[in-house]
Amino acid sequence: MNDEYYMDLAFLEAKKAEDIDEVPVGAVIVDNNKDVIGYGYNCPISSNDPTSHAEINAIRMASKVSGNYRLINTTLYVTIEPCIMCMGAIIHARIKRVVFGAKDLKWGAAGSLYNIAEDKLLNHQPEITSGISKEKIKQLIKGFFKNKRSK
């Protein structure tokens, strides 16, 4: 299985967010054995929780499944570039690799607005891969906001 396969799973999570009128962002976490151990989607509005981003929800689940708050040797697949909060959680969890689809020029903290993953002052620098299924994801996001504006 490759990055596109897992990004498709994250995309399905993003669709769940869209279905409840949340910004469609989805994430999955895969362990060293290529098993999905966590998944999540954005739901800060419906949960009244500003930390309820897709990445955070996936990290919470993966930590419970693995029985460890350190997610060493895992890969996080997320449809949109993580924000500052999510990159902080990724670094605290020691996630080895982050794969995202589309950049987030307003909030992105993995290369667009900030590049927290390359900050040598921090004790962990996850590997970043971007652009996986980028066009499909951009269309989902653009369609969501176009629909919001037309209501």
Side-chain angles (χ1 to χ4, degrees), residues 136-148:
K136 176 179 167 181
I137 292 163
K138 282 170 69 173
Q139 290 307 317
L140 176 67
I141 294 290
K142 283 182 181 181
F144 175 80
F145 284 110
K146 183 178 180 183
N147 188 31
K148 287 292 247 187

Side-chain angles (χ1 to χ4, degrees), residues 41-45 47-58 60 83 85-86 89:
Y41 55 88
N42 264 14
C43 56
I45 297 166
S47 67
N48 291 314
D49 180 355
T51 70
S52 195
H53 288 197
E55 301 95 323
I56 301 296
N57 293 330
R60 286 176 178 149
C83 71
M85 174 184 69
C86 292

Side-chain angles (χ1 to χ4, degrees), residues 41-98:
Y41 55 88
N42 264 14
C43 56
I45 297 166
S46 59
S47 67
N48 291 314
D49 180 355
T51 70
S52 195
H53 288 197
E55 301 95 323
I56 301 296
N57 293 330
I59 288 169
R60 286 176 178 149
M61 179 185 284
S63 295
K64 286 180 183 170
V65 167
S66 68
N68 195 334
Y69 74 107
R70 297 279 192 236
L71 300 173
I72 297 166
N73 294 319
T74 60
T75 299
L76 168 71
Y77 291 87
V78 61
T79 53
I80 302 296
E81 179 179 0
C83 71
I84 295 166
M85 174 184 69
C86 292
M87 282 303 299
I90 288 162
I91 289 165
H92 280 289
R94 307 295 194 275
I95 291 172
K96 182 177 183 177
R97 183 171 177 241
V98 176

